[in-house]
Amino acid sequence: MEFIEAFFGVIGDLTWGWSLIPILVVFGLFITITTGFVQFEFFGRMWRVLSSNNNAADPNAISAREALLVSVGGRVGGGNIAGVAVAITLGGPGAVFWMWAIALVGMATSLVECSLAQLFKRRTRENECRGGPARSIIHGLGADYKWLAVIYAICLIAAFGLGFNAFQGNTVAGAVEDSLGISRLWTGIGLAIVAGFIIFGGIHRIAKAADVVVPIMAIGYLLMAGVVILINIADVPAVFMSIVRNAFGFEEVVTGGMGAAIAQGLRRGLFSNEAGLGSAPNVAATAEVRHPISQGITQAFSVFIDTILICSCTAFVILLGDVYVPGAEGIDGVALTQQSIVSHLGSWAQYFLTAAILLFAFSSIIYNYYLGENALTVMTESPIALNVFRVAIMGIVFLGAVAPGATAVFFFSDPMMGILALVNLLAIMMLFPVAMRLLKDFRRQLKAGVARPVLNPDDYKDLDIDLDAWKGTAPAEAS
């Protein structure tokens, strides 16, 4: 066991330790510059998805809005509450600035990876669309690269399907026990049953659940943070300036100064918004949209919501209060966020935060499950294997909830996610000319006056795309 832990420790050091974060940053900057700052060019279009309806021929198809909410529900989790607090504790207020920076860069990366997942999606026998980096590798790079897709799929199942779901179960059970005094056992049973009901319904039930849960949790949390900011509106400019000064080393508040701020901000930002890690494209591919870039724009918006909006709310709640003491040790993580909210709004707020954590974690569980399911279907489409996996997810959630130390068993999650990200970035790099081709087509249609560009499958017959998955689209000139 010690050898296995050491082995995964080496993998973690080789990925997250020194190579992966710089690669993600450089890669994001490369995409941003090469695409002409596409995330800013289409920023106005991102907001339209919030009021969009399902325009697919099949009324039961997954809409762009539902795919957005599933991905937001997955990106938004404990990292938005506990992770931001850890970043500030270890990196100071300046870490928030670098979280913003990596999110703005990551929006371009997410747009590209999710657009590729859309283009190479496949329609299943159940009339659902499936896609993601694994299928982009197989159908974009060719069957000779299936081994790379299998590595990706195994890492996705291990990291998200198993490890992170145990962590989410543990987070929920701990928060409920601390604030409400309810035993971890009962929380674990309830969480496993509800999760099982939703995941056994497949992506359609997952999407419908996210359509209800995510707006409630996101809007509720934003409103609560908004109240805190309004109460302390006079102090907001000073807090903002403190973030900027500390980000560039003009204000030393923690050991490591500017270096600690950059390291913590980039690391926590990447963990939170997942841009470039290859997870969100699996959900992006399920949507029925007119053009792959449209879903790429939508998923870039998901990164904005996760980090620029929700993570910022947590940061200002902490920095506007008096619980956080720069450089002090002791209180951090979710406890820092919780006590900061209580200091602003009173003791009732801790129950609100517990409810938020419950919803955040639950939405992440069903999102993580779908990522694992989608990866499993790359290797086998056996209904028996799928149902065994669903039962296993219920067991993993329960195990994570009832055993406070259970998450230590899943020490492989971060290293597996590191390999996952490297495989995904390699695939994006090799398929980047295809992404640029899609972007050029999208811009050409906009320039020609087409308000809602449409993919013409005939223009991509040289690629291995599933024409059946795009049967509802037509040339833009005829739409």
Side-chain angles (χ1 to χ4, degrees):
M1 192 65 189
E2 290 181 2
F3 171 78
I4 294 175
E5 289 185 6
F7 173 74
F8 280 103
V10 171
I11 295 177
D13 290 339
L14 292 175
T15 53
W16 292 110
W18 62 272
S19 63
L20 189 53
I21 292 178
I23 290 173
L24 283 164
V25 173
V26 172
F27 197 75
L29 287 171
F30 169 78
I31 293 178
T32 296
I33 295 170
T34 307
T35 58
F37 297 85
V38 65
Q39 65 270 52
F40 301 107
E41 176 185 357
F42 296 131
F43 185 72
R45 297 183 70 90
M46 295 178 187
W47 296 86
R48 301 180 187 181
V49 71
L50 295 176
S51 58
S52 66
N53 296 315
N54 191 343
N55 295 293
D58 181 4
N60 295 316
I62 305 299
S63 68
R65 179 176 181 273
E66 288 173 330
L68 169 70
L69 293 175
V70 172
S71 63
V72 168
R75 296 180 200 266
V76 176
N80 298 79
I81 296 176
V84 174
V86 170
I88 293 174
T89 301
L90 299 179
V96 179
F97 178 89
W98 296 110
M99 289 181 69
W100 293 338
I102 198 60
L104 293 176
V105 169
M107 287 169 70
T109 305
S110 187
L111 187 150
V112 168
E113 65 178 349
C114 292
S115 296
L116 289 170
Q118 263 288 323
L119 179 66
F120 292 108
K121 67 185 179 182
R122 323 308 278 186
R123 192 173 294 279
T124 68
R125 290 190 298 269
E126 293 77 23
N127 200 34
E128 297 175 349
C129 287
R130 285 188 182 272
R135 287 175 175 80
S136 296
I137 291 170
I138 294 172
H139 301 290
L141 299 178
D144 291 343
Y145 287 89
K146 186 171 182 178
W147 62 271
L148 191 63
V150 171
I151 292 176
Y152 168 90
I154 291 173
C155 291
L156 189 66
I157 292 172
F160 286 86
L162 302 179
F164 293 150
N165 267 344
F167 171 75
Q168 296 295 347
N170 187 267
T171 299
V172 172
V176 170
E177 184 178 51
D178 291 343
S179 62
L180 303 178
I182 298 176
S183 167
R184 287 176 174 267
L185 175 65
W186 294 113
T187 301
I189 292 173
L191 199 58
I193 291 174
V194 177
F197 172 76
I198 293 176
I199 65 179
F200 269 91
I203 184 58
H204 290 287
R205 192 173 293 171
I206 290 172
K208 299 303 179 186
D211 203 18
V212 174
V213 172
V214 175
I216 292 175
M217 73 178 192
I219 293 173
Y221 192 70
L222 289 172
L223 287 175
M224 183 201 66
V227 171
V228 172
I229 292 172
L230 286 175
I231 293 174
N232 300 276
I233 192 66
D235 297 325
V236 170
V239 167
F240 183 81
M241 290 307 299
S242 176
I243 290 173
V244 174
R245 286 196 301 268
N246 181 236
F248 293 97
F250 300 124
E251 180 181 273
E252 187 86 9
V253 296
V254 294
T255 303
M258 180 179 173
I262 295 175
Q264 288 300 319
L266 296 182
R267 184 178 179 88
R268 298 297 169 179
L270 288 168
F271 264 82
S272 180
N273 62 54
E274 299 179 16
L277 301 187
S279 51
N282 293 274
V283 173
T286 64
E288 300 272 5
V289 295
R290 295 171 181 263
H291 197 286
I293 295 295
S294 296
Q295 182 60 197
I297 293 171
T298 297
Q299 293 301 319
F301 187 44
S302 177
V303 174
F304 178 85
I305 293 173
D306 171 87
T307 306
I308 304 298
L309 292 184
I310 297 180
C311 283
S312 295
C313 283
T314 300
F316 275 93
V317 165
I318 292 171
L319 296 175
L320 286 169
D322 54 10
V323 176
Y324 167 68
V325 178
E329 298 181 359
I331 180 173
D332 60 7
V334 68
L336 175 57
T337 306
Q338 188 173 44
Q339 291 187 28
S340 295
I341 289 176
V342 170
S343 71
H344 290 296
L345 303 176
S347 59
W348 67 270
Q350 67 179 321
Y351 303 111
F352 181 94
L353 184 62
T354 299
I357 292 173
L358 176 63
L359 292 176
F360 284 4
F362 183 74
S363 65
S364 293
I365 287 171
I366 58 177
Y367 167 82
N368 291 340
Y369 158 75
Y370 181 74
L371 298 186
E373 176 193 297
N374 198 40
L376 182 65
T377 59
V378 172
M379 297 180 287
T380 176
E381 295 186 3
S382 167
I384 295 177
L386 179 58
N387 286 325
V388 168
F389 179 68
R390 288 168 172 170
V391 172
I393 293 299
M394 294 174 64
I396 287 294
V397 170
F398 175 77
L399 176 64
V402 299
T407 52
V409 178
F410 303 99
F411 53 85
F412 52 80
S413 296
D414 284 356
M416 288 293 95
M417 187 166 66
I419 298 175
L420 179 83
L422 290 176
V423 171
N424 180 58
L425 291 174
L426 177 62
I428 294 175
M429 192 178 304
M430 297 174 74
L431 291 170
F432 189 65
V434 177
M436 290 298 291
R437 183 175 164 186
L438 286 171
L439 186 58
K440 182 179 179 180
D441 175 47
F442 192 83
R443 284 170 168 160
R444 177 188 60 79
Q445 293 188 45
L446 288 177
K447 189 175 181 180
V450 180
R452 300 176 62 196
V454 179
L455 181 80
N456 182 2
D458 292 339
D459 293 339
Y460 297 86
K461 285 186 176 180
D462 58 308
L463 301 176
D464 182 18
I465 67 172
D466 183 1
L467 297 179
D468 189 48
W470 293 99
K471 63 183 180 181
T473 62
E477 290 77 14
S479 62

